[in-house]
Amino acid sequence: MISEKRSLLLKEQAKLLALKEYKGIVKSISLSKILTLPIYIVDILTLNGEEHKVKINAETGSILKEKTIPLTKSRAKAYALRQHKGIIESIVLTNKQYEIVILGPDGKTHSVKIDAEIDVLAQEERNIQ
């Protein structure tokens, strides 16, 4: 199997992009993954003392805003499979909520509910910390 190696921005490039959003001092920068998307998370302390977190797509250099990554059916599946390993038996969207049924390797059935209007970036970040 041939895999495509995608080139990522350098940390310094991500830092410069973040500083265009907010002038200040970069406190930290880290490379993370949200679902399958590599992102840089840059923490900036502005001159007036405010702290800002800038998320940058590490492949394209675009600044990620809230709701930037729509929670599509395939993303909901990927998110659910991170919660419970196994095979997806069904996925249903009702009342702005995905309900996903997963058959685990142990033969047990797991039900995962995910808000279809969730902020994937914030949710994934909460799960990482």
Side-chain angles (χ1 to χ4, degrees), residues 70-118:
L71 192 58
T72 61
K73 190 183 244 185
S74 62
R75 288 194 187 277
K77 286 179 184 179
Y79 182 77
L81 288 171
R82 291 188 70 191
Q83 303 301 310
H84 296 284
K85 301 293 182 215
I87 299 169
I88 292 181
E89 291 188 322
S90 67
I91 181 167
V92 178
L93 176 63
T94 53
N95 297 328
K96 298 183 181 180
Q97 187 176 49
Y98 286 105
E99 183 165 351
I100 303 168
V101 177
I102 299 171
L103 177 62
D106 58 359
K108 293 182 180 177
T109 301
H110 304 277
S111 179
V112 178
K113 293 183 181 181
I114 303 172
D115 185 348
E117 294 184 350
I118 194 170

Side-chain angles (χ1 to χ4, degrees), residues 12 14 17-18 46 49 59 71 84 96 109 125 128:
E12 191 60 32
L17 289 168
T46 62
E59 293 174 340
L71 192 58
H84 296 284
K96 298 183 181 180
T109 301
E125 190 172 301
I128 290 170

